[in-house]
Every structure is written in C-alpha cells, then in structure tokens.
C-alpha cells in the first residue's frame, strides 16, 4: 500500500462534497411517498454515498496501490473503479427512468457501462504500456457506443414525455455526454496513461471536479423539481400536463 501525497487535499474535498451532496439529497427525499418517485431519490442517494465512501478510502490511502510499468512505478487509485462500477450504472438508471426507458434499453446501457469500467480497470493494472493504451481504446470504444445509445434509442423514448420532462432529460443527457467524455481524456493525460502530461496532483483535482459535477451536480438538477419527477413517473399525466 502506498501513502497519498499532496493530492490527498483533493480527495478530502471530494469526500466532503459527496457527503454534503448525500445529506442534501436525503433532505430533498423526505416525505416522498410515491414508490416510483422514490426510485430517483434512492438511486441518487446511493450514488453520492458510494462516492463519499470511496473518496474517504482514497484520502486515507487504503484505496491506493502501485503498478509497475517498465521502469516506472505508477500510483493507482483503484478505489475510483470500485466507485464507478456501481455509480455509473446508477446514473444511467436515473436518466433511463426519466426517459421512461424499457428494460432492454436499460440493460444495454448498464451492460456497456460495466464493460467500459471493467476494461478501464484492466487498462489501469496492465503492466505493458502499449497494452494499457489498447485497453483504454477498448474502454473508450464502449463509452462511444454507450453515448450513441443515449442520443439514439434513449432520446427517442424520452421524446414521448411531456415538455418539461423532455427538457430536463436533454439537459442531463447533454451534461452527461460532456462530462463522461472528459474521463478518458484525463486518464490518458494523467499518470495512468504513462505519458505523464498531467501530474497526479492535477489529475486527482480534475477527477474530483468531474465526479462532483457528474454526481452531485447531476443529482441537484434531477431532484430540483418534484413536479417534473411526478410527470415523469405518471404516464397518463404526460400528455395533459404540458398541454
Ligand atoms: C461519477 C463517476 C463517473 C460519471 C465516472 C465516469 C467514468 C468514465 C466515463 C470512465 C471512462 C474511462 C474510459 C472511457 C477509458 C478508460 C479509463 C476510464 C475508466 C477513465
């Protein structure tokens, strides 16, 4: 086990931010009785709870390990992947729920997503530099297919929703596309990419900002209006509510 360096400041900021986000979402969810609506709150609260725990794990150094690549020793925060493998499917679940997606679409998105994170883990632990890049490419390929399903099938299903729901869906979808595309960029420029453009200190800061925006920011926008969530969960209200 390695000891975290100066970058631990960002990991503590991440822990705090995810904790505050969790408490805020718990507060927003109080008094929500409808089981369909509760799904949004449950998923969103789990997202930041898992992230808060994994940030704490990284800040305290348990979530950190070393990988030998040639004559380089890379500091790898493995707890990131333990976080992402659970939180990214939950984020997709939130968005799919808003879109009123069917089971097949949800399963496709989650399947692609888990494949993306698992191949990302292989990329992070691979000891041959060229193979790290190869697995990064495979993982990025999965991300691109996933985003294609988001703008295709999922957006089509969301189009049947009322104006405000469709509006919130496209805001969150666009935010997701923008943020998620930055993850492989930070990864390849950071220590994992072995080219060392972005030092660990700045890479950790970048992932922290991305994680907070993609989870807490996303959740704040999603849970902001209870009436929009009501419209999203009551199919019969859809057409009339916006008329
Ligand atoms: C809250 C955490 C989120 C939204 C994390 C998203 C992570 C990704 C989209 C990661 C993607 C990666 C690749 C596409 C290539 C390999 C490296 C990864 C795992 C960083």
């Amino acid at each position: 086990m390695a000891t975290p360096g100066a970058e631990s400041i960002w990991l503590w900021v991440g822990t705090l931010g995810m904790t505050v986000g969790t408490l805020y979402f718990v507060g927003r969810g109080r008094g929500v009785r409808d089981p369909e609506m509760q799904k949004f709150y449950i998923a969103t609260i789990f997202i930041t709870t898992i992230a808060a725990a994994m940030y704490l794990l990284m800040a305290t150094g348990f979530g950190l390990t070393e990988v030998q690549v040639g004559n380089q020793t890379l500091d790898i925060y493995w707890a990131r992947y333990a976080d992402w493998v659970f939180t990214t499917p939950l984020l997709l679940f939130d968005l799919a729920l808003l879109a009123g997606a069917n089971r097949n679409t949800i399963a496709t998105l989650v399947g692609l997503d888990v494949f993306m994170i698992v191949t990302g883990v292989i990329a992070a632990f691979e000891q041959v530099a060229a193979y790290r890049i190869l697995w990064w490419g495979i993982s990025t390929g999965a991300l691109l297919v996933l985003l294609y399903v988001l703008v295709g099938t999922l957006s089509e299903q969301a189009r049947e929703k009322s104006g405000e729901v469709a509006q919130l869906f496209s805001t969150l979808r666009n935010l997701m596309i923008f943020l998620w595309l930055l993850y492989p960029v930070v990864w390849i420029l950071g220590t994992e990419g072995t080219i060392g453009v972005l030092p660990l200190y700045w890479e950790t800061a970048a992932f922290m900002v991305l994680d907070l925006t993609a989870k807490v920011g996303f959740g704040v926008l999603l849970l902001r209006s209870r009436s929009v969530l009501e419209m999203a969960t009551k199919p019969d209200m859809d057409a009339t509510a916006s008329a």
Side-chain angles (χ1 to χ4, degrees):
M1 199 161 60
T3 334
E7 76 279 3
S8 71
I9 179 70
W10 304 125
L11 300 169
W12 285 112
V13 173
T15 309
L16 187 70
M18 294 298 178
T19 307
V20 171
T22 303
L23 297 175
Y24 174 72
F25 298 146
V26 168
R28 295 232 45 133
R30 279 181 54 203
V32 176
R33 294 280 169 266
D34 182 85
E36 283 306 307
M37 273 179 72
Q38 282 175 340
K39 288 180 184 171
F40 287 107
Y41 293 88
I42 295 169
T44 310
I45 290 166
F46 264 114
I47 291 166
T48 49
T49 304
I50 294 169
M54 290 305 108
Y55 261 94
L56 180 63
L57 201 62
M58 292 192 281
T60 53
F62 187 81
L64 176 63
T65 190
E66 285 177 346
V67 174
Q68 195 70 34
V69 179
N71 50 16
Q72 261 184 299
T73 306
L74 307 181
D75 286 319
I76 301 290
Y77 280 100
W78 61 264
R80 285 194 191 298
Y81 304 93
D83 168 340
W84 296 347
V85 81
F86 294 111
T87 57
T88 52
L90 286 168
L91 284 163
L92 289 169
F93 176 73
D94 259 342
L95 195 64
L97 210 59
L98 192 65
N102 60 40
R103 270 168 205 271
N104 282 358
T105 309
I106 298 179
T108 305
L109 286 171
V110 170
L112 283 165
D113 179 79
V114 171
F115 181 83
M116 169 186 83
I117 301 297
V118 170
T119 49
V121 172
I122 300 173
F125 284 91
E126 172 58 59
Q127 296 190 315
V128 179
Y131 292 161
R132 294 176 69 86
I133 310 297
L134 175 65
W135 284 104
W136 171 86
I138 293 170
S139 177
T140 303
L143 172 63
L144 295 178
V145 178
L146 188 161
L147 297 181
Y148 180 80
V149 177
L150 273 195
V151 292
T153 317
L154 194 66
S155 301
E156 220 163 85
Q157 288 168 7
R159 228 165 279 144
E160 282 156 35
K161 293 277 163 187
S162 71
E164 276 174 284
V165 177
Q167 185 59 53
L168 179 61
F169 169 83
S170 57
T171 303
L172 291 175
R173 183 202 59 188
N174 294 344
L175 179 74
M176 187 180 266
I177 295 172
F178 174 71
L179 294 173
W180 287 33
L181 279 172
L182 291 173
Y183 280 85
V185 177
V186 171
W187 194 97
I188 200 79
L189 295 180
T191 49
E192 283 90 347
T194 66
I195 39 179
V197 177
L198 204 60
L200 186 61
Y201 183 80
W202 292 113
E203 178 192 342
T204 310
F207 273 138
M208 183 270 290
V209 172
L210 284 177
D211 282 342
L212 282 179
T213 320
K215 294 179 171 69
V216 180
F218 180 96
V220 167
L221 290 174
L222 175 69
L223 305 181
R224 193 171 45 177
S225 160
R226 221 177 254 192
S227 62
V228 174
L229 295 185
E230 237 157 56
M231 276 186 254
T233 50
K234 307 246 177 329
D236 45 332
M237 274 179 64
D238 274 9
T240 45
S242 60

